[in-house]
Amino acid sequence: MPKTLFKLDLSKPMEQQAHPGHNRWHPDIPAAFSVELGQSFRMECKDWTDGQISNNDDPSDIRDVILPRVHVLSGPVYVNGVAPGDLLVVDILDIGAFAESEWGFNGIFAKENGGSFLTEHYPKAAKSIWDFEGIYTTSRHVPGVKFAGLIHPGLIGVAPSMELLQEWNKRENELKMTDPDRVPELATSPQAEHAVLGTLKGAEFDRVVKEGARTVPPRENGGNCDIKNLSKGSRIFFPVFVDGAKLSVGDLHFSQGDGEITFCGGIEMAGWIDLRVDVIKGGMEKYKIKDNPVFKPGPVEPNYSDYLVFEGISVDEFTGKQHYLDAHIAYRRACLNAIEYLKTLGYTGEQAYMLLGTAPIEGRINGIVDIPNACCTVAIPTQIFDKDIDPK
């Protein structure tokens, strides 16, 4: 087993850890430790909310979650011998839940506090707790289903350069200012409240916290991509923007449906991840991997073969307005069609919504060229249910 180089106490918030992680992106956040090329190591991770959600039936903690606290990340890791322009090669060797914390959660965030993909349809908070038994999970809040997890880090990435960080803040603030009062907001600005910046203190903390980007969206450095197939056995090629790359990881999921549509998405959990790092010198230019990471999926995934597939097209469900090849609307319509069907099986809309966010749902952009409608699909594996769900 690789040596644990980032160890956590689940009873303490991130800033009180022996080696605090961080919840903002900035090149000047100090590395927690360094590793050599070819080295394997283990990192422990808190759940993305830093322990705000309890294993109970009360969704008020989802409703009242402190969003400026997320995502708490383990790291950064300084990789010796890695410089800007290189590709950092990261292998995910293994990943799992803590033996003392074999459960996770999913939630629908309240519209006024983060919202979700279907927030206009489901504006109120809801929660489901999922218990782990080996590779399988079940929930007392979404009965009648059992499925194998595909455990993965929702968030893994490297530090941005100062120039790239400034570009993020500029472009996202410009978007936010197009509708500054929108709920939920269009983008998340740098925010000092509840920030954790590793071991930074005093004037350096005050400077960095004004510039540090929130970890909510994916960006050029990887970040919160929520790719469910980025699991054990996967290899990631990260463009490197700073010396040592400064790799960080967190937001572990036991399972997730494509799109992570509830926002408090997948089955969130605390756990550990084993990584190995290497480098391709000058790889950004050699392979033209400059704007976003590239990855190879691992060989491990749930073996489901029978699906019920729901389509959606680019027509707004509220107004009936035709949109031009809008995949966002098409995927939303596919999800809503699947939810309406699941409601005929006895699930509430909220239960069906959380099921789509947690089970190994396959989401696809199937047609993106046939004007005016994009076609997206949501495929639900029928074998996860304890009864036949096909139309009769």
Side-chain angles (χ1 to χ4, degrees):
M1 183 180 77
K3 184 177 180 180
T4 301
L5 298 184
F6 195 92
K7 192 167 182 61
L8 293 172
D9 182 342
L10 294 184
S11 69
K12 296 180 179 179
M14 184 59 84
E15 68 270 22
Q16 294 180 16
Q17 301 293 330
H19 296 286
H22 61 103
N23 60 3
R24 303 292 189 270
W25 289 118
H26 196 286
D28 295 338
I29 296 173
F33 60 94
S34 64
V35 295
E36 302 297 331
L37 295 175
Q39 184 174 347
S40 302
F41 54 95
R42 175 169 292 192
M43 299 176 74
E44 295 181 347
C45 302
K46 296 199 71 178
D47 80 81
W48 75 304
T49 72
D50 201 11
Q52 295 184 59
I53 309 304
S54 299
N55 186 348
N56 59 34
D57 304 331
D58 182 3
S60 61
D61 51 9
I62 293 286
R63 181 196 64 204
D64 302 330
V65 70
I66 300 170
L67 284 179
R69 166 64 51 170
V70 304
H71 307 74
V72 288
L73 304 179
S74 297
V77 182
Y78 190 98
V79 184
N80 294 322
V82 174
D86 296 341
L87 288 179
L88 179 68
V89 182
V90 179
D91 289 313
I92 299 177
L93 304 177
D94 204 357
I95 185 170
F98 292 119
E100 68 273 23
S101 183
E102 292 188 320
W103 66 278
F105 61 89
N106 177 262
I108 301 170
F109 275 14
K111 180 179 179 180
E112 63 275 11
N113 190 27
S116 66
F117 185 54
L118 304 179
T119 196
E120 300 301 329
H121 297 269
Y122 297 97
K124 295 183 179 180
K127 180 170 75 175
S128 56
I129 299 296
W130 297 80
D131 296 306
F132 309 151
E133 186 176 9
I135 66 171
Y136 293 100
T137 187
T138 56
S139 173
R140 62 186 181 269
H141 298 122
V142 186
V145 294
K146 179 180 181 180
F147 50 84
L150 183 58
I151 308 178
H152 60 279
L155 198 160
I156 184 169
V158 296
S161 65
M162 195 63 209
E163 293 75 16
L164 183 57
L165 174 64
Q166 290 170 342
E167 173 61 25
W168 292 352
N169 287 336
K170 177 178 179 292
R171 73 192 185 198
E172 290 171 21
N173 186 64
E174 288 175 350
L175 172 63
K176 186 174 181 177
M177 289 302 102
T178 63
D179 189 1
D181 299 322
R182 184 181 185 272
V183 178
E185 62 186 352
L186 287 171
T188 57
S189 303
Q191 188 173 5
E193 188 178 19
H194 301 291
V196 184
L197 303 176
T199 56
L200 283 182
K201 298 183 185 301
E204 275 295 277
F205 182 99
D206 294 338
R207 176 184 66 85
V208 168
V209 80
K210 295 175 183 178
E211 303 167 340
R214 296 289 304 280
T215 57
V216 174
R219 298 185 181 94
E220 289 89 335
N221 69 326
N224 191 32
C225 296
D226 293 310
I227 302 170
K228 78 176 194 304
N229 299 93
L230 194 62
S231 186
K232 62 178 69 177
S234 295
R235 170 170 285 187
I236 317 166
F237 303 89
F238 286 105
V240 176
F241 306 105
V242 300
D243 286 336
K246 289 189 172 180
L247 173 72
S248 299
V249 63
D251 185 29
L252 303 186
H253 299 163
F254 186 85
S255 177
Q256 179 201 297
D258 282 334
E260 201 199 23
I261 59 175
T262 61
F263 181 43
C264 182
I267 300 176
E268 308 285 353
M269 63 176 238
W272 50 268
I273 184 168
D274 293 343
L275 303 173
R276 182 174 58 227
V277 291
D278 215 320
V279 68
I280 300 175
K281 300 300 293 182
M284 287 177 65
E285 177 61 32
K286 181 177 181 180
Y287 292 107
K288 305 302 180 185
I289 300 175
K290 299 180 179 181
D291 295 329
N292 296 98
V294 172
F295 81 96
K296 287 177 64 67
V300 179
E301 62 179 310
N303 186 24
Y304 295 114
S305 58
D306 188 74
Y307 291 85
L308 202 57
V309 182
F310 298 85
E311 294 185 23
I313 58 173
S314 313
V315 177
D316 187 277
E317 68 271 21
F318 292 107
T319 65
K321 179 181 177 181
Q322 178 72 64
H323 290 258
Y324 179 77
L325 298 180
D326 191 321
H328 184 274
I329 291 176
Y331 196 68
R332 188 174 74 215
R333 294 299 301 270
C335 290
L336 289 169
N337 290 339
I339 288 170
E340 288 303 306
Y341 184 85
L342 291 171
K343 286 162 68 174
T344 70
L345 303 178
Y347 293 104
T348 67
E350 289 78 9
Q351 287 174 319
Y353 187 13
M354 289 188 286
L355 179 59
L356 294 185
T358 56
I361 305 302
E362 297 290 329
R364 296 285 186 272
I365 296 177
N366 299 87
I368 202 69
V369 296
D370 297 316
I371 61 173
N373 278 323
C375 177
C376 290
T377 56
V378 170
I380 302 175
T382 61
Q383 294 126 305
I384 70 174
F385 296 89
D386 61 6
K387 61 183 178 182
D388 185 355
I389 69 163
D390 288 350
K392 297 293 186 295

